[in-house]
Amino acid sequence: MRYSANFSQGQEALVIDLASVDEVLGTTRSVRRRLDFDRPVAPEVIEECVALAAQAPTGMNREAWRFLVITDAAKKQGVADLYRRAMDRYASLRPSPLSPAQRALSDRLHEIPALILVCSEGRPESGNHAAEVAFYGSVLPAAWSLMLALRSRGLGSTWTTLLLVHERETADLLDIPDDVTQTILLPVAYTRDAVLRRANRKGPEQVMYWNTWGAAREPAE
Ligand SMILES: Cc1cc2nc3c(=O)[nH]c(=O)nc-3n(C[C@H](O)[C@H](O)[C@H](O)COP(=O)(O)O)c2cc1C
């Protein structure tokens, strides 16, 4: 196990357990089926995770993120119906069939203990690239932190955007004001028999350039 020690003036020495941090960063996968649909998730646990999510960067310090936690059975059913409609349409447009896991999440969304809709107050300025990046960059890092915090507590989730196809109907269902932008929906439940591993992703040598676009790092002299 590796440890990193971080000393800063006026603070006690802080030891970060790299193995645990790396495990959470490296194995926070989509969990769609291996979920415990019957085990409740305490509101306090979700609040703790949201408190960590709110440590993410936030443009102009606005903290415009809002986390709408849906636990009410009728509302979950309403969201699940919209999600399924979006999924069916998506499936009809694809050349290949949906994976059983994608289908399973869609079929059982209403049974998941908590659905968290991550929103931002305001609307991005359409056509202004810098403003759009700042807008979404001020909410999506918090959403990812939330997923990591959930994972570290044994909770599984999936980063989903399909519901956005029905943003208007979702807003009506949940009384979301017009000037609030919906982003991702995280279905949250304790995992059950889920073995989460690092995904097979491109390595740094395939996705990194040094100093000039397309250039590999110069070998050390
Ligand atoms: C922008 C974005 C939108 C996504 N939307 C959905 C979705 O609507 N439904 C779903 O089941 N998964 C969705 N996913 C999850 C991806 O399918 C998943 O991240 C990918 O297959 C990699 O698997 P992993 O999350 O286990 O690493 C989305 C992921 C991203 C980044």
Side-chain angles (χ1 to χ4, degrees):
M1 194 175 290
R2 293 174 300 150
Y3 291 96
S4 138
N6 179 347
F7 300 91
S8 57
Q9 227 179 8
Q11 270 192 332
E12 276 184 43
L14 172 69
V15 177
I16 294 179
D17 175 356
L18 278 190
S20 300
V21 175
D22 290 359
E23 177 70 11
V24 171
L25 288 171
T27 67
T28 300
R29 303 262 75 78
S30 301
V31 191
R32 301 185 179 89
R33 284 185 294 187
R34 295 189 180 275
L35 296 169
D36 192 337
F37 294 90
D38 301 318
R39 181 172 168 193
V41 180
E44 294 77 13
V45 174
I46 297 178
E47 283 164 5
E48 204 173 277
C49 293
V50 168
L52 288 166
Q55 294 298 319
T58 161
M60 313 279 284
N61 255 328
R62 281 183 59 233
E63 300 183 59
W65 44 57
R66 298 291 179 266
F67 303 86
L68 180 52
V69 184
I70 308 150
T71 54
D72 175 81
K75 289 191 174 164
K76 281 196 296 181
Q77 185 67 62
V79 169
D81 290 345
L82 292 171
Y83 186 90
R84 194 173 313 105
R85 262 172 56 196
M87 180 65 92
D88 288 345
R89 180 166 159 67
Y90 172 64
S92 72
L93 298 172
R94 275 166 51 106
S96 52
L98 292 172
S99 73
Q102 285 172 314
R103 183 57 76 192
L105 181 71
S106 167
D107 288 345
R108 300 195 68 181
L109 200 66
H110 59 289
E111 294 177 59
I112 293 185
L115 308 176
I116 306 181
L117 183 58
V118 182
C119 300
S120 174
E121 290 205 322
R123 288 271 165 198
E125 193 184 323
S126 167
N128 179 340
H129 178 59
E132 281 178 333
V133 171
F135 184 88
Y136 289 109
S138 291
V139 59
L140 298 181
W144 178 237
S145 290
L146 177 56
M147 228 175 128
L148 297 173
L150 292 165
R151 160 88 178 113
S152 66
R153 285 157 180 76
L155 290 153
S157 189
T158 298
W159 184 280
T160 77
T161 53
L162 265 178
L163 185 69
L164 294 173
V165 173
H166 298 300
E167 191 184 19
R168 179 70 264 156
E169 293 103 311
T170 305
D172 291 343
L173 177 73
L174 304 171
D175 287 334
I176 300 173
D178 285 346
D179 60 350
V180 167
T181 303
Q182 299 167 38
T183 68
I184 63 149
L185 180 77
L186 294 178
V188 177
Y190 282 97
T191 59
R192 199 174 49 190
D193 304 328
V195 181
L196 304 180
R197 297 194 182 89
R198 287 197 186 199
N200 189 14
R201 294 274 162 88
K202 290 176 187 159
E205 70 290 351
Q206 292 168 284
V207 297
M208 264 179 104
Y209 309 131
W210 291 80
N211 299 313
T212 303
W213 187 263
R217 182 160 60 92
E218 298 281 333
E221 294 280 309

